[in-house]
């Protein structure tokens, strides 16, 4: 089974990204052949500074490796290192109805907010379809926000197969050059709240980053917003941001004990936050150590990316041979 997913290098990764996505990628590497890529071509729609792009690309690779992606099991590579993807994108765009793209949330939301869209943003789902289809992916783990893009990828694959493969059966998906991918909606680890209680997101400046210096991380955790219930009073764990974050880390028995402390009173929010910080460093201690080691061993990271790109290109080239044949380009 081939598992594929991509992460845009649009900023430093935070615990929302970890619990919502990366942790599941790392677990899935044991269930089949995982192909994970850094979606730098997609990120060009927002990052327009070369140094920033290079630094963030490298950082995402570091993050994956530090968090347990094993390059002996899974393939890690940069999207732009497989130029065949851009070729397939063009070919797919010639069978993609305009209406399909006009209905895409990524495009509709921006234009509705008055942001003028460029062609890259409009064509974003076609590039994503090329990413998925070029590797014959069986399973594509994505968050809820990406589900529509996956449906578009399926629609484009059906359209291409219908036009070019006479034996294609849209009901079974058999007989086409492009394999129809299955979405794998990741566990809805309820949305991880940020320090202000809103959804944790790079764009809201409310993140707890995975690999920031310890002092800064503790400060961020101590800044999580709480209400003004006094120390001695009973507190409601189910409306508390600190408790919502503790839930991600604490084993069930310890969580039950923390819940009891909330409900009984006598423990202040400061203490709960300190406990959260301890869990954070226990959970990510090994990954953070590995991150520092990898920072001092950059050649290794580049080597992993180069090997990953070569493996990915091999798979992509095979598919492109078929695509060029059925379209008459070759
Ligand atoms: P951001 O909102 O910080 O820009 P992205 O949109 O790049 O994050 O998300 C990358 C992945 O991490 C997606 O699969 C998304 O579902 C997941 N993710 C991001 N923020 C959260 C969150 N607060 N809670 C759960 N999952 C999240
Ligand atoms: N669009 C995805 C995101 O923003 C990243 C991505 C690009 C992707 N190509 C993909 C995810 C292919 C899964 C499969 O999160």
């Amino acid at each position: 089974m081939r598992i594929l997913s991509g992460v845009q290098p649009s900023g430093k990764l935070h615990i929302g990204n970890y619990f919502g996505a990366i942790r599941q990628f790392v677990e899935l590497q044991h269930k089949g052949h995982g192909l994970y890529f850094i979606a730098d071509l997609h990120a060009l729609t927002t990052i327009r500074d070369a140094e920033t792009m290079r630094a963030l690309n490298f950082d995402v690779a570091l993050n994956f490796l530090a968090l347990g992606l094993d390059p002996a099991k899974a393939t890690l590579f940069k999207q732009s290192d497989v130029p065949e993807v851009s070729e397939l994108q063009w070919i797919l765009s010639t069978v993609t109805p305009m209406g399909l793209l006009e209905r895409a949330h990524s495009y509709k939301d921006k234009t509705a907010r008055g942001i003028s869209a460029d062609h890259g943003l409009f064509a974003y789902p076609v590039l994503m379809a090329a990413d998925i289809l070029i590797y014959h992916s069986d399973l594509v783990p994505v968050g809820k926000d990406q589900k529509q893009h996956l449906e578009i990828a399926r629609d484009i694959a059906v359209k291409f197969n219908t036009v070019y493969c006479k034996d294609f059966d849209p009901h079974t998906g058999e007989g086409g050059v492009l394999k129809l991918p299955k979405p794998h909606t990741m566990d809805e680890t309820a949305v991880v709240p940020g320090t202000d209680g809103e959804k944790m997101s790079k764009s809201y400046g409310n993140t707890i980053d995975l690999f920031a210096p310890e002092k800064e991380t503790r400060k961020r955790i101590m800044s999580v917003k709480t209400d003004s219930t006094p120390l001695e009073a009973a507190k409601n764990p189910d409306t508390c941001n600190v408790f919502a974050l503790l839930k991600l880390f604490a084993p069930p028995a310890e969580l039950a004990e923390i819940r009891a402390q909330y409900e009984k009173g006598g423990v202040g929010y400061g203490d709960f936050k300190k406990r959260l910080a301890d869990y954070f460093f226990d959970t990510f201690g090994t990954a953070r150590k590995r991150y520092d080691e990898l920072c001092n061993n950059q050649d290794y990271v580049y080597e992993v990316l180069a090997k990953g790109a070569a493996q990915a290109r091999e798979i992509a080239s095979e598919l492109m041979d078929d695509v060029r044949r059925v379209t008459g380009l070759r």
Side-chain angles (χ1 to χ4, degrees):
M1 181 172 66
R2 204 168 274 158
I3 303 152
L4 171 113
S5 202
V7 173
Q8 277 203 53
S10 50
K12 298 271 179 190
L13 297 187
H14 51 75
I15 60 174
N17 299 136
Y18 177 73
F19 288 105
I22 313 282
R23 179 173 68 170
Q24 305 184 53
F25 296 166
V26 172
E27 282 165 5
L28 279 168
Q29 72 182 339
H30 305 291
K31 302 237 164 82
H33 178 201
L35 286 147
Y36 297 112
F37 66 91
I38 305 157
D40 57 348
L41 292 175
H42 277 110
L44 276 178
T45 59
T46 49
I47 302 173
R48 265 77 191 255
D49 176 72
E51 273 319 305
T52 309
M53 179 66 91
R54 275 183 211 108
L56 288 175
N57 268 337
F58 187 72
D59 195 60
V60 175
L62 268 184
N63 279 232
F64 264 114
L65 295 172
L67 291 166
L69 195 88
D70 176 1
K73 283 209 170 80
T75 302
L76 177 66
F77 62 103
K78 226 167 58 170
Q79 184 182 29
S80 64
D81 282 342
V82 184
E84 287 82 358
V85 157
S86 305
E87 183 185 354
L88 182 61
Q89 185 206 353
W90 172 255
I91 297 171
L92 295 179
S93 76
T94 63
V95 296
T96 305
M98 290 289 282
L100 194 62
L101 299 182
E102 279 161 355
R103 285 194 295 277
H105 301 310
S106 49
Y107 167 71
K108 253 180 27 187
D109 291 353
K110 288 227 167 131
T111 45
R113 279 189 280 143
I115 300 169
S116 70
D118 48 40
H119 179 253
L121 183 74
F122 187 65
Y124 186 108
V126 190
L127 178 58
M128 190 157 156
D131 288 329
I132 294 169
L133 300 171
I134 208 162
Y135 303 111
H136 279 298
S137 314
D138 295 297
L139 211 67
V140 185
V142 286
K144 238 192 352 218
D145 55 327
Q146 297 296 320
K147 256 185 93 177
Q148 190 196 27
H149 287 150
L150 228 100
E151 285 154 17
I152 295 176
R154 254 183 102 91
D155 288 349
I156 293 177
V158 167
K159 190 78 199 289
F160 180 92
N161 287 339
T162 306
V163 171
Y164 288 112
C165 312
K166 65 177 181 353
D167 295 330
F168 176 64
D169 178 348
H171 301 294
T172 60
E174 302 289 315
V177 161
L178 302 178
K179 187 172 205 168
L180 309 186
K182 278 197 215 65
H184 170 92
T185 316
M186 295 189 283
D187 275 357
E188 294 304 332
T189 320
V191 170
V192 176
T195 51
D196 57 357
E198 299 298 316
K199 174 190 182 241
M200 187 177 289
S201 171
K202 295 180 270 267
S203 26
Y204 303 155
N206 62 356
T207 61
I208 298 172
D209 292 351
L210 293 166
F211 298 106
E214 174 162 354
K215 214 167 134 198
E216 194 182 313
T217 305
R218 288 199 186 268
K219 226 163 110 190
R220 296 292 289 177
I221 293 177
M222 294 313 284
S223 78
V224 175
K225 208 164 120 193
T226 50
D227 60 28
S228 51
T229 314
L231 187 145
E232 57 287 355
K235 301 172 183 63
N236 182 355
D238 297 314
T239 55
C240 176
N241 297 322
V242 182
F243 190 78
L245 293 168
L246 280 164
K247 269 202 243 175
L248 299 167
F249 293 97
E254 290 174 32
L255 192 68
E257 172 217 322
I258 298 170
R259 176 178 281 280
Q261 288 178 338
Y262 263 83
E263 286 167 350
K264 182 158 174 264
V267 182
Y269 286 123
D271 287 325
F272 290 126
K273 290 179 186 176
K274 283 199 192 106
R275 188 141 182 194
L276 175 60
D278 293 342
Y279 277 126
F280 175 95
F281 289 107
D282 279 352
T283 305
F284 296 116
T286 314
R288 288 169 61 89
K289 205 165 140 247
R290 177 118 180 87
Y291 182 88
D292 290 340
E293 284 163 12
L294 288 167
C295 282
N296 294 321
N297 193 1
Q298 303 204 352
D299 289 350
Y300 167 77
V301 181
Y302 286 119
E303 213 176 279
V304 167
L305 288 175
K307 272 198 194 133
Q311 282 169 7
R313 274 198 92 171
E314 210 177 300
I315 303 170
S317 307
E318 268 172 39
L319 188 273
M320 286 313 293
D321 281 347
D322 287 340
V323 167
R324 293 189 195 109
R325 185 174 45 76
V326 300
T327 49
L329 292 173
R330 183 169 294 161

